Amino acid sequence: MVDVEVVGAGPNGLAAAVVMARAGLSVRIHEAAPTIGGGSRSIELMEQDHLHDFCSAVHPMALASPFFRAFELSRRIGFVVPEVSFAHPLDGGRAGIAYRSLDETVRGLGVDGEAYRRLLQPLSDREQGILAFTLNHVVRVPKKPEAAVRFGLAVLDQGLPWWNRRFSTEEAKGLVTGVMAHPVGTLPSLTGAGAGLVLNLLAHTVGWPIPVGGSQSIADALAIDVRQHGGQIVTDSRIETLAEVSDARVVLLDVAPKTFQSMSRGRLPAAYEKALAAFTYGNAACKVDFILSGPVPWTHPELHRAGTAHLGGTREEIAAGEKQVNQGVHPDSPYVLLSQPSSFDPTRAPEGRHTLWTYCHVPRGSTQDMAEAVTAQIERFAPGFRDVVVRSHTTTASELEVYNANYVGGDFSSGAVNLRQIVARPVPSLEPWATPIKGVYLCSQSTPPGPGVHGMAGLNAAKLALRREFGLSVPALGLS
């Protein structure tokens, strides 16, 4: 018998376990897969010594989130922070480039440079206040209201139909649009603008770091800390019902609401069941991984310095493609999110080889292989790309759900990112991590603050459980 059972060894489940174990409680984690990591797992997908991040790849939140800062993750594992955080290629060899340096970005955007500065500088200057607001439950009084107001004004500027008023060039419009398209959904939108602007401001503060050795190193660092504080991690351990973990005083579930309902077996009150039933899942991703015989032959030279690229052309083209996905159509010219980690981390592939990480947005539940559409989109901005492709591997949206049950229908956000579910994630509540079942808490990205490798949902759930069930506060998390 242990004090705390954790179901799911993704970043949030592991973060929750770290907090509980450091509080002096006995902790056991159950992971259904053979290895830990969930959304931060790295594997040899096609060939030996070629390491691929299966889900998340680039991690600004690993350096920015309050949990990982307290945990001192950057002292536990290595990160490479590219000088070009992200780039947005356009036809004709043009591109918008988001340098780590805001000043350099402004210079590169020409006539739109100062308009970009006026949008991003107030946000970058208030990074901590904005993160304190956005990486928590928004149904609360912000600790720094002025930062929240500034952020809200920027969201209104880029999240509503007048989003073109600020910029005149395709480079500036595309640069901002590419990062706002990370959440699957129509554009412009307030939620897309909110998520994108947080990531955009971090591009000019902590940067967009790539973990040395793959995203798996993040999960491994958390697991090491759990074990150092007496916790157990059991893999190949699928928990089907709450009855299997009922001896613990606290159960923390890093699972989607759909799985929680199944595990509860009729124990949930009707009103709560109804609220969970109203929780919706969004559209999805089709993942395409590549092994290359050389670097991507980008037309624009600065793309070689970028850890991340957003492909899809102009603002209008990307918005049209996202609209098609929302209508249940597979776009011929999809928005493609691309990372080239082996350009910065030589542990990812043997000398002379590269691994390339990409995905595009598709309708929920899709079984369609989008490798050709993704390849064509890369070739559009990097002629000759097909010539350096050695092998590719596709994971369709439906296969993503097989890989991780939290990705319902291939929705890697574990729930649609929309205005309703900013407030009700997964149900309307001031403390949405708590469930009606005594001692049972949700800690997945289906709870605030939502998707991303930030550990904050795990921290929030563990903090609440410590206070309610044990009368304890969050312990120190750092190395020192």
Side-chain angles (χ1 to χ4, degrees):
M1 180 176 174
V2 295
D3 296 317
V4 180
E5 297 272 23
V6 180
V7 179
N12 282 308
L14 289 166
V18 163
V19 174
M20 293 304 216
R22 280 177 166 260
L25 303 171
S26 56
V27 177
R28 180 165 55 214
I29 305 174
H30 298 270
E31 171 53 51
T35 59
I36 65 167
S40 58
R41 189 178 285 128
S42 305
I43 59 176
E44 292 180 334
L45 186 61
M46 289 176 273
E47 292 185 15
Q48 188 176 358
D49 299 326
H50 294 73
L51 192 63
H52 302 265
D53 290 325
F54 201 80
C55 290
S56 58
V58 181
H59 294 275
M61 288 301 175
L63 299 184
S65 93
F67 171 77
F68 280 129
R69 279 182 164 163
F71 186 67
E72 297 182 277
L73 181 64
S74 61
R75 292 178 57 191
R76 297 171 188 260
I77 66 174
F79 288 97
V80 181
V81 186
E83 285 305 308
V84 175
S85 295
F86 61 91
H88 192 102
L90 293 162
D91 293 327
R94 298 168 297 143
I97 309 295
Y99 295 93
R100 179 90 180 272
S101 163
L102 180 58
D103 288 340
E104 192 170 359
T105 305
V106 168
R107 285 194 295 272
L109 289 175
V111 297
D112 274 335
E114 288 305 319
Y116 182 87
R117 186 194 300 277
R118 288 192 294 272
L119 178 66
L120 270 300
Q121 185 85 60
L123 307 185
S124 297
D125 289 346
R126 295 166 177 81
E127 174 197 12
Q128 291 303 298
I130 290 171
L131 291 177
F133 173 63
T134 58
L135 289 181
N136 237 304
H137 194 11
V138 297
V139 186
R140 55 194 287 273
V141 177
K143 291 183 178 180
K144 296 188 177 180
E146 198 267 347
V149 169
R150 280 280 189 170
F151 179 70
L153 291 173
V155 169
L156 292 173
D157 183 271
Q158 288 300 298
L160 292 171
W162 54 69
W163 65 336
N164 280 324
R165 291 193 311 178
R166 178 175 292 271
F167 301 119
S168 60
T169 66
E170 288 184 346
E171 288 85 349
K173 292 177 185 177
L175 190 65
V176 175
T177 304
V179 72
M180 293 194 302
H182 278 223
V184 190
T186 56
L187 292 171
S189 74
L190 294 175
T191 50
L197 286 168
V198 169
L199 294 172
N200 205 155
L201 77 88
L202 293 175
H204 304 301
T205 55
V206 298
W208 281 22
I210 293 169
V212 176
S215 297
Q216 184 73 48
S217 61
I218 297 174
D220 290 346
L222 293 165
I224 288 168
D225 196 81
V226 170
R227 291 188 174 111
Q228 285 176 339
H229 291 85
Q232 309 169 51
I233 301 176
V234 187
T235 55
D236 289 308
S237 179
R238 184 176 298 277
I239 301 299
E240 302 283 359
T241 72
L242 291 177
E244 297 173 65
V245 289
S246 61
D247 288 342
R249 287 182 63 183
V250 164
V251 177
L252 290 158
L253 302 173
D254 187 1
V255 304
K258 178 182 176 181
T259 303
F260 175 46
Q261 287 175 285
S262 175
M263 294 174 68
S264 300
R265 302 288 172 93
R267 294 176 58 188
L268 295 173
Y272 189 81
E273 282 270 20
K274 184 177 180 181
L276 285 185
F279 185 77
T280 59
Y281 298 92
N283 284 312
C286 178
K287 178 99 181 316
V288 185
D289 290 283
F290 296 90
I291 294 176
L292 308 179
S293 61
V296 179
W298 299 109
T299 300
H300 195 290
E302 289 297 83
L303 266 291
H304 293 282
R305 300 176 59 200
T308 303
H310 304 128
L311 281 58
T314 65
R315 166 171 276 188
E316 291 73 23
E317 287 180 89
I318 291 175
E322 293 297 277
K323 183 178 180 180
Q324 284 184 299
V325 172
N326 195 53
Q327 293 170 338
V329 176
H330 293 81
D332 293 327
S333 180
Y335 164 79
V336 175
L337 183 59
L338 177 150
S339 173
Q340 40 192 13
S342 57
S343 296
F344 305 91
D345 174 12
T347 70
R348 305 297 187 97
E351 187 174 356
R353 289 285 189 93
H354 284 273
T355 56
L356 189 71
W357 177 104
T358 76
Y359 74 69
C360 70
H361 294 164
V362 294
R364 180 171 58 256
S366 167
T367 60
Q368 185 162 322
D369 183 343
M370 296 291 288
E372 175 52 35
V374 168
T375 300
Q377 196 69 286
I378 302 171
E379 181 84 16
R380 174 182 174 185
F381 305 107
F385 172 70
R386 293 179 190 274
D387 298 334
V388 299
V389 174
V390 176
R391 293 183 66 179
S392 68
H393 179 278
T394 299
T395 308
T396 66
S398 61
E399 290 168 339
L400 273 180
E401 183 174 7
V402 174
Y403 161 79
N404 188 335
N406 285 359
Y407 301 160
V408 177
D411 173 11
F412 56 88
S413 296
S414 302
V417 180
N418 55 40
L419 286 178
R420 180 189 179 277
Q421 290 185 182
I422 294 294
V423 177
R425 194 168 184 93
V427 299
S429 172
L430 294 176
E431 296 178 327
W433 309 277
T435 78
I437 302 175
K438 169 69 175 173
V440 177
Y441 297 80
L442 288 172
C443 67
S444 69
Q445 61 178 3
S446 300
T447 66
V453 179
H454 42 58
M456 290 301 294
L459 172 63
N460 289 335
K463 181 179 179 179
L464 182 60
L466 280 177
R467 175 172 58 82
R468 280 190 173 189
E469 311 298 336
F470 299 100
L472 299 173
S473 58
V474 174
L477 302 175
L479 287 167
S480 52

